[in-house]
């Protein structure tokens, strides 16, 4: 009989590790000697998606650069919970900056390395969605426009969590925050406001833009690795649920992220030089309500048919626009 | 103070901050009992051998089966695989084809000539009566434990009902022979053609230290049907035995099999193969209450067997059966309707079950026979000192797999008894239900269907009906196992912990929590695919 390969790997690439896969296909997180760039003892809340996303991304970048990495960090949860002076949970060269100037600081580090002729050391800037999409937006746009050799990673938890859950320009329509209470005719954050920074980054024509999520580790690591193989300005936005700000269970962080992706509310894609190049397909499409019902910030939407319909329309639009479902099926 | 400008403190690590103190619940690793293992009457650790098979480590997989069951090639054919009915994978697509993988492993062992070594000699001698699955399994396990074993068998061949009750198209004889041969090669002596009437006396005369009885249930149960002898009547057990011994059996014309169990199906399917023109199963029960295994019924129907449910034969006269139509009611048995019909037949085979030949047990002082079975306690001990029993002769489901389980259990009890101890079954883990698992992580994988023999060849000969898996699809099928309830080292917990509070101990050694830092968020437990982590309240 003809020789055929066993193609099925029990959990495929869905789990963090899989002993049936080739070593090269396994994740950084599955290795015993991962760098644990963000170590234990940090003060993030239980089930923090940002702490998880940051370790995923930075560990992957560490492996991609052979541990030659410097990071600049915008003020925000990520800074406050990792580094209450003089203690730090970071195990990489790491530099504090203000809320709004992490891109500029990173640009400076990259310039200094260029002057010193250190091609091998790479630079990352990172921050939350507030520091990225609002406060640091001018600096970020400048970094893109100059095509500085920096990978900027935005951990997107869709509001200012550190200061008490205020709306940011990444907060989705209808979400409850301290400043968008679920009151009145249109409870929660208004629809059709805010900005989509990955698309804005693409508009700068930079070499690489991607979105990722903490529930898709293989996908996330591949995107970080790809980014580190490119020189110039790059941008990755990682979806990181926040149990405290979203009113979800700490144990459900990865699940919430998974449902955001599977419902189509958080499209995962890649773009190079302003052109979309790939989209991560939805495995089993789910209604947005499955995602919303795990979070108190959306509790009111389940009682409002109009809001539910609008959120579903957002998801359906994403699916169409980014091609999140294969027409032929898989 | 030798520090840079404006720096007053040394850099410290967050590791000083023991965030474990935040915790109100702690995750713990545990092993839960997978439903397949729970359902296996032979007590196989199915999940463990599938785990080896997943990576193509077939010999290791086979050795794992052999810890509990010396007949993988037989089991992979005749077992009704309750494991697959219990399999959690049905909630995703279809049960794992455990039976087909077991058969592949059993055949692979025969191809490769894998052997099992006997245990270190204990100097004890055990006598086994009956070389059926229970007797041989017991002998195998006793030999593995180092005892000398002699098996006495009344028939000319070993195998018991597997040989004399299960037709060749389900159980090719060379496989059975080879697996029995392997047991003999461990040093088990099988004495054939030896019927022992005074069991207790024989045991004492020959100086055996213990005795395992497994004579089965071989006497046919019959109903007396008023008959003018115009149609020949046979019994199923005798008929199947005659076919096996290749005696001349006239199974031709219009054959009626009376009964709805697996033996009835075996007779009917044999009759098809031997050239009967019409084979009809007359079943007392309603179609859906037939005791025969569904798959057997389906295969029989494919081959052309006709089933008439809710019929009772009341009389045989002038070459015709007088059938009474039965009515299925609420009660256990169908009720007579008073409606009759005639049915033409050339031969009637009664397949109404078997009973134990209790005459043989008369000499056993203290043995208790009730409900047509020898009563045994949880250690498979009969009331008679030093006499253990198992298989079809004790109260049980009367399947091959159950018998093999009895053999194992009895061997362990005998071993303990010979040392003056008592055998206690190890405590089972709690059963894992599908709701304890996170099945998102398992990729879709349809079951591998085993090839079936062409229908025409099934109707004309005794060639094996169900085909084999090969090395490739055996590994594929094994990989469909979800490892319910037991860690298979997918690294999910190690990955999803936002606090890096899990240590990976390396392949085969699983993981460990760093309780100094674990905040108790529970993400590891939620994202564990197989339900091997549970959250326990912290004692405060």
């Amino acid at each position: 009989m003809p020789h055929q390969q066993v193609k099925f790997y029990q959990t495929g690439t869905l789990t963090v590790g899989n002993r049936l896969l080739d070593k090269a296909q396994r994740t950084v997180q599955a290795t015993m000697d991962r760098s644990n760039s963000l170590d234990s003892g940090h003060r993030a809340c239980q089930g923090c998606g940002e702490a998880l996303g940051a370790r995923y991304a930075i560990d992957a970048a560490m492996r991609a650069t052979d541990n030659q990495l410097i990071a600049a960090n915008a003020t925000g949860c990520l800074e406050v919970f990792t580094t209450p002076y003089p203690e730090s949970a970071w195990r990489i060269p790491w530099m504090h900056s203000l809320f709004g100037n992490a891109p500029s600081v990173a640009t400076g580090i990259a310039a200094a390395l260029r002057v010193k002729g250190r091609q091998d050391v790479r630079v990352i800037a990172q921050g939350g969605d507030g520091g990225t999409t609002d406060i640091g937006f001018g600096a970020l746009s400048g970094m893109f426009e100059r095509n500085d050799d920096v990978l900027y990673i935005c951990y997107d938890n869709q509001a200012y969590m550190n200061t008490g859950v205020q709306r940011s320009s990444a907060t989705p329509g209808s979400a409850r925050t301290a400043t968008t209470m679920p009151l009145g005719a249109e409870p929660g954050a208004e629809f059709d406001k805010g900005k989509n920074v990955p698309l804005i980054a693409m508009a700068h024509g930079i070499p690489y833009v991607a979105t990722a999520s903490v529930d898709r580790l293989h996908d996330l690591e591949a995107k970080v690795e790809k980014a580190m193989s490119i020189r110039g300005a790059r941008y990755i936005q990682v979806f990181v649920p926040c149990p405290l700000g979203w009113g979800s269970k700490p144990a459900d962080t990865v699940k919430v992220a998974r449902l955001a992706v599977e419902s189509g509310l958080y499209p995962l894609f890649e773009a190079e030089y302003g052109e979309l190049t790939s989209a991560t397909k939805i495995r089993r499409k789910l209604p947005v309500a499955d995602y919303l019902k795990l979070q108190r910030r959306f509790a009111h939407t389940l009682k409002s048919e109009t809001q539910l319909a609008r959120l579903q329309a957002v998801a359906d639009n994403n699916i169409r626009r980014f091609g999140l479902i294969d027409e032929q099926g898989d | 103070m030798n520090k840079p400008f404006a720096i007053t403190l040394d850099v410290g690590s967050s590791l000083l901050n023991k965030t474990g103190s935040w915790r109100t619940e702690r995750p713990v690793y545990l092993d839960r009992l997978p439903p397949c293992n729970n359902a296996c009457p032979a007590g196989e650790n199915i999940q463990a051998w599938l785990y080896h098979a997943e990576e193509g480590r077939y010999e290791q997989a086979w050795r794992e089966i052999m810890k509990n069951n010396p007949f993988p090639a037989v089991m992979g054919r005749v077992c009704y695989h309750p494991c697959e009915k219990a399999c959690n994978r049905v909630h995703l697509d279809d049960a794992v084809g455990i039976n087909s993988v077991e058969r592949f492993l059993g055949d692979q062992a025969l191809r490769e000539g894998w052997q099992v070594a006997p245990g270190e000699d204990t100097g004890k001698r055990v006598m086994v009566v009956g070389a059926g699955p229970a007797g041989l399994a017991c002998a195998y396990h006793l030999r593995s434990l180092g005892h000398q074993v002699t098996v006495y068998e009344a028939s000319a061949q070993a195998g018991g009902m597997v040989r004399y009750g299960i037709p060749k198209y389900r159980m090719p004889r060379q496989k059975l022979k080879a697996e029995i041969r392997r047991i003999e090669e461990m040093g088990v002596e099988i004495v054939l053609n030896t019927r022992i009437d005074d069991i207790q006396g024989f045991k004492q005369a020959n100086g055996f230290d213990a005795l395992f009885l497994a004579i089965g249930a071989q006497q046919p149960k019959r109903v007396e049907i008023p008959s003018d002898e115009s149609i020949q009547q046979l019994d199923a057990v005798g008929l199947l035995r005659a076919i096996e011994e290749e005696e001349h059996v006239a199974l031709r014309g219009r054959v009626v099999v009376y009964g709805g169990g697996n033996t009835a199906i075996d007779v009917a399917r044999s009759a098809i193969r031997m050239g009967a023109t019409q084979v009809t199963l007359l079943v007392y029960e309603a179609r859906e209450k037939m005791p025969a295994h569904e798959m057997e019924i389906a295969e029989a129907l494919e081959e052309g067997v006709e089933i008439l449910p809710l019929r009772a034969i009341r009389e045989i006269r002038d070459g015709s059966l007088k059938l009474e139509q039965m009515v299925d009611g609420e009660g256990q048995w169908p009720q007579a309707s008073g409606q009759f019909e005639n049915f033409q037949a050339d031969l009637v085979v009664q397949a109404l079950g078997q009973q134990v030949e209790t005459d043989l047990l008369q000499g056993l002082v203290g043995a208790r026979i009730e409900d047509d079975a020898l009563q045994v306690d949880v250690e498979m001990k009969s009331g008679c000192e030093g006499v253990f029993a198992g298989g079809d002769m004790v109260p049980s489901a009367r399947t091959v797999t159950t018998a093999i389980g009895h053999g194992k259990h009895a061997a362990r009890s005998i071993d303990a008894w010979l040392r003056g101890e008592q055998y206690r079954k190890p405590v089972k883990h709690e059963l894992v239900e599908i709701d304890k698992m996170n099945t998102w992580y398992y990729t879709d994988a349809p079951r591998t269907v085993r090839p079936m023999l062409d229908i025409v060849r099934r109707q004309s000969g005794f060639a094996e009906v169900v085909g084999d898996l090969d090395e490739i699809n055996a590994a594929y099928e094994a990989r469909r196992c979800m490892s319910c309830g037991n860690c298979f080292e997918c690294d999910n917990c190690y990955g999803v912990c936002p606090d890096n509070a899990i240590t990976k101990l390396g392949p085969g050694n699983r993981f460990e929590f760093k309780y100094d830092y674990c905040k108790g968020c529970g993400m590891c437990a939620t994202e564990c695919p197989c339900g091997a982590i549970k959250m326990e309240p912290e004692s405060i």
Side-chain angles (χ1 to χ4, degrees):
Chain A
M1 72 175 284
H3 180 72
Q4 63 179 110
Q5 277 314 120
V6 184
K7 287 250 175 60
F8 172 66
Y9 297 107
Q10 192 172 40
T11 54
T13 54
L14 296 169
T15 43
V16 168
N18 185 343
R19 70 191 210 286
L20 300 173
L21 290 178
D22 291 338
K23 280 242 163 66
Q25 284 181 290
R26 299 186 198 173
T27 62
V28 176
Q29 288 304 312
T31 57
M32 289 173 76
D33 58 354
R34 69 185 190 205
S35 52
N36 285 321
S37 311
L38 179 53
D39 209 352
S40 310
H42 63 70
R43 294 155 198 238
C45 307
Q46 293 172 319
C48 175
E50 188 171 37
L52 182 61
R55 197 190 73 227
Y56 279 178
I58 302 300
D59 278 2
M62 283 286 275
R63 184 169 79 171
T65 60
D66 207 9
N67 300 335
Q68 299 300 302
L69 197 69
I70 298 176
N73 209 121
T75 302
C77 268
L78 187 62
E79 179 165 284
V80 173
F81 74 68
T82 60
T83 315
Y85 177 74
E87 231 176 61
S88 181
W90 291 105
R91 297 173 61 182
I92 55 168
W94 178 91
M95 195 176 286
H96 153 74
S97 72
L98 301 179
F99 215 151
N101 68 353
S104 309
V105 170
T107 294
I109 298 169
L113 289 168
R114 195 172 63 243
V115 169
K116 293 179 84 175
R118 292 295 300 268
Q119 287 274 313
D120 55 327
V121 182
R122 307 297 302 274
V123 184
I124 280 183
Q126 54 181 356
D129 52 289
T132 305
T133 70
D134 297 340
I135 302 175
F137 188 68
L140 182 71
S141 181
M143 187 201 101
F144 288 162
E145 180 258 336
R146 294 184 302 271
N147 200 22
D148 292 321
D149 187 16
V150 174
L151 166 63
Y152 192 100
I153 303 176
C154 168
Y155 303 103
D156 178 11
N157 56 21
Q158 304 188 328
Y160 288 86
M161 299 312 181
N162 183 37
T163 51
V165 200
Q166 292 85 6
R167 178 192 173 273
S168 79
S169 59
T171 302
S174 82
R176 179 198 71 183
T177 67
T179 49
T180 57
M181 294 306 275
L183 302 165
E186 273 199 57
E190 285 177 68
F191 282 93
D192 305 324
K193 297 246 168 113
K195 35 183 143 155
N196 189 327
V197 173
L199 295 182
I200 298 172
M202 281 167 66
H204 287 76
I206 58 174
Y208 188 71
V209 174
T211 56
S213 165
V214 285
D215 77 296
R216 295 285 198 289
L217 179 61
H218 278 260
D219 183 72
L220 187 156
E221 286 192 355
K223 284 167 177 169
V224 172
E225 204 184 320
K226 173 103 185 254
M228 296 319 288
S229 73
I230 298 169
R231 296 273 171 179
R234 291 141 288 149
Y235 180 77
I236 295 179
Q237 185 170 303
V238 184
F239 187 68
V240 290
C242 171
L244 185 77
W246 296 7
S248 58
K249 282 191 208 150
D252 283 347
T253 296
V254 169
K255 184 176 177 188
V256 167
R258 180 158 62 231
L259 294 174
V261 174
E262 290 295 281
S263 64
L265 280 174
Y266 209 83
L268 303 184
F269 58 86
E270 285 178 295
E272 291 174 45
Y273 300 102
E275 296 293 330
L276 270 180
T277 51
S278 82
T280 304
K281 304 294 176 194
I282 288 174
R283 189 165 167 235
R284 292 181 192 138
K285 185 177 181 288
L286 295 166
V288 291
D290 286 17
Y291 164 71
L292 304 172
K293 71 185 177 196
L294 296 175
Q295 307 166 57
R296 279 203 306 280
R297 66 171 174 159
F298 288 118
H300 54 279
T301 64
L302 298 171
K303 296 180 204 128
S304 158
E305 273 180 36
T306 18
Q307 285 206 317
L308 212 50
R310 286 199 78 168
L311 285 160
Q312 188 62 57
V314 171
D316 293 343
N317 189 42
N318 283 338
I319 290 169
R320 191 180 40 76
R321 183 173 183 187
F322 296 98
L324 301 179
I325 293 177
D326 256 335
E327 294 304 322
Q328 291 83 19
D330 49 16
Chain B
M1 286 277 285
N2 191 16
K3 289 192 163 67
F5 175 70
I7 301 291
T8 52
L9 296 168
D10 287 324
V11 175
S13 162
S14 62
L15 293 175
L16 297 171
N17 189 22
K18 301 284 168 66
T19 49
S21 62
W22 302 13
R23 199 171 55 231
T24 55
E25 277 190 310
R26 69 162 55 202
V28 285
Y29 288 110
L30 77 165
D31 287 300
R32 289 182 164 124
L33 179 65
C36 51
N37 289 10
N38 185 48
C40 180
E44 285 184 23
N45 191 347
I46 294 164
Q47 192 180 78
W49 58 256
L50 284 174
Y51 184 87
H52 293 306
E54 281 163 26
E55 291 174 69
R57 295 199 304 264
Y58 296 131
E59 181 167 355
Q60 244 171 303
W62 178 79
R63 293 204 180 274
E64 181 60 49
I65 299 180
M66 292 296 283
K67 285 182 191 166
N68 295 296
N69 186 339
F71 291 112
V74 172
M75 275 303 94
R77 294 180 162 81
V78 304
C79 182
Y80 288 120
H81 39 79
C83 50
E84 293 185 21
K85 285 197 200 79
C87 178
N88 273 334
R89 182 125 202 156
V90 293
H91 299 285
L92 272 74
D93 32 47
D94 206 348
V96 177
I98 298 167
N99 189 249
S100 57
V101 180
E102 181 169 33
R103 168 165 159 178
F104 166 78
L105 292 171
D107 289 356
Q108 188 73 359
L110 296 178
R111 280 190 287 271
E112 302 282 334
W114 295 330
Q115 297 284 338
V116 179
E120 208 174 309
D121 195 19
T122 59
K124 300 284 185 188
R125 296 177 65 232
V126 185
M127 166 180 168
V128 174
V129 182
L136 291 173
C138 185
Y140 161 82
H141 286 289
L142 286 167
R143 191 71 199 116
S144 300
L145 293 162
H147 307 297
Q148 291 290 333
V149 190
T150 310
V151 184
Y152 294 93
E153 168 59 47
S155 303
Q157 298 279 354
M161 275 301 179
V162 180
R163 172 178 285 276
Y164 291 104
I166 300 178
K168 289 184 184 124
Y169 60 85
R170 280 178 58 204
M171 186 62 243
R173 298 304 184 239
Q174 76 275 18
K175 304 280 184 196
L176 174 64
K177 248 190 207 160
E179 292 208 313
I180 294 173
R181 180 86 204 117
R182 194 167 56 216
I183 295 173
E184 288 183 285
E185 275 162 8
M186 291 170 72
V188 169
E189 191 188 357
I190 302 177
V191 183
L192 300 170
N193 295 311
T194 307
R195 183 185 162 94
I196 298 169
D197 292 313
D198 176 14
I199 291 170
Q200 188 70 307
F202 189 93
K203 175 188 169 228
Q204 274 155 12
N206 289 281
F208 285 105
D209 297 297
L211 166 64
F212 179 64
L213 265 181
I215 59 169
Q218 309 213 32
Q219 280 196 324
K221 281 184 191 163
R222 299 196 55 149
V223 287
E224 284 309 316
I225 303 169
S227 169
D228 64 357
E229 310 280 323
S230 58
I231 301 178
Q232 193 194 357
Q233 284 196 71
L234 296 173
D235 71 78
V237 183
L239 180 71
L240 290 170
R241 176 175 280 269
I243 295 173
E244 177 58 26
E245 286 172 348
E246 294 181 345
E247 288 170 14
H248 174 71
V249 187
L251 214 52
R252 301 199 188 284
R254 294 161 297 183
V255 176
V256 163
V257 184
Y258 193 28
N262 289 315
T263 308
I265 301 273
D266 286 340
V267 171
R269 295 179 69 186
S270 295
I272 292 266
R273 284 165 172 75
M274 296 178 78
T277 48
Q278 178 193 317
V279 180
T280 310
L281 225 54
L282 292 181
V283 183
Y284 195 67
E285 298 92 350
R287 167 68 186 78
E288 59 280 2
K289 290 184 184 169
M290 276 174 68
H293 194 262
E294 268 313 314
M295 212 180 77
E296 293 264 347
I297 296 174
E299 287 179 16
L301 290 172
E302 278 169 25
E303 289 166 12
V305 174
E306 195 188 359
I307 296 178
L308 284 182
L310 290 167
R311 297 292 200 288
I313 305 178
R314 293 303 186 211
E315 201 180 350
I316 299 175
R317 187 186 294 275
D318 304 329
S320 167
L321 306 173
K322 185 178 177 193
L323 304 183
E324 181 170 9
Q325 182 89 41
M326 306 302 287
V327 182
D328 191 30
E330 292 298 302
Q332 196 189 350
W333 299 108
Q335 303 297 310
S337 69
Q339 307 269 356
F340 294 91
E341 63 191 315
N342 283 324
F343 195 87
Q344 302 297 317
D346 300 310
L347 176 69
V348 173
V349 183
Q350 288 199 14
L352 298 165
Q354 290 108 254
Q355 54 199 7
V356 181
E357 214 177 324
T358 47
D359 306 352
L360 278 173
L361 309 175
Q362 298 309 325
L364 297 176
V365 184
R368 202 158 51 84
I369 296 153
E370 266 172 38
D371 305 326
D372 180 35
L374 176 65
Q375 302 297 311
V376 287
D377 66 8
V378 289
E379 289 178 88
M380 312 304 291
K381 271 181 187 163
S382 75
C384 182
E385 186 68 0
V387 178
F388 299 73
D392 287 0
M393 72 182 295
V394 306
S396 79
R398 289 193 174 173
T399 68
V400 182
T401 324
T402 310
I404 288 172
H406 284 175
K408 173 182 83 169
H409 188 180
R412 291 179 182 173
S413 296
I414 291 169
D415 178 63
W417 183 80
L418 288 171
R419 284 184 279 109
E421 293 167 14
Q422 258 194 331
Y423 178 66
R424 292 260 176 270
K425 275 192 175 180
V427 180
K428 284 185 174 183
H429 294 133
E430 65 173 86
L431 190 65
V432 58
E433 309 281 353
I434 192 78
D435 61 359
K436 300 252 171 29
M437 300 173 60
N438 188 340
T439 55
W440 157 262
Y441 288 104
Y442 300 102
T443 44
D444 308 318
R447 183 188 173 104
T448 319
V449 178
R450 285 187 268 190
M452 296 278 274
L453 193 65
D454 192 62
I455 194 81
V456 179
R457 285 188 59 204
R458 280 161 62 181
Q459 286 164 337
S460 57
F462 279 81
E464 189 166 18
V465 171
V466 182
D468 294 315
L469 296 186
D470 59 31
E471 268 192 57
I472 300 287
N473 48 22
Y476 167 92
E477 194 56 35
R479 286 177 180 190
R480 295 183 63 243
C481 173
M482 305 196 291
S483 191
C484 308
N486 296 284
C487 175
F488 60 109
E489 299 184 28
C490 72
D491 298 321
N492 253 18
C493 52
Y494 177 60
V496 301
C497 178
D499 292 290
N500 184 27
I502 292 170
T503 310
K504 180 173 175 168
L505 301 173
N509 299 319
R510 301 184 171 183
F511 308 88
E512 205 170 69
F513 290 108
K514 298 177 202 165
Y515 289 116
D516 275 355
Y517 299 106
C518 165
K519 293 170 186 161
C521 68
M523 205 132 71
C524 50
T526 312
E527 300 306 323
C528 176
C530 66
I533 300 175
K534 90 171 166 193
M535 300 302 290
E536 280 182 349
E538 199 66 60
S539 53
I540 300 166

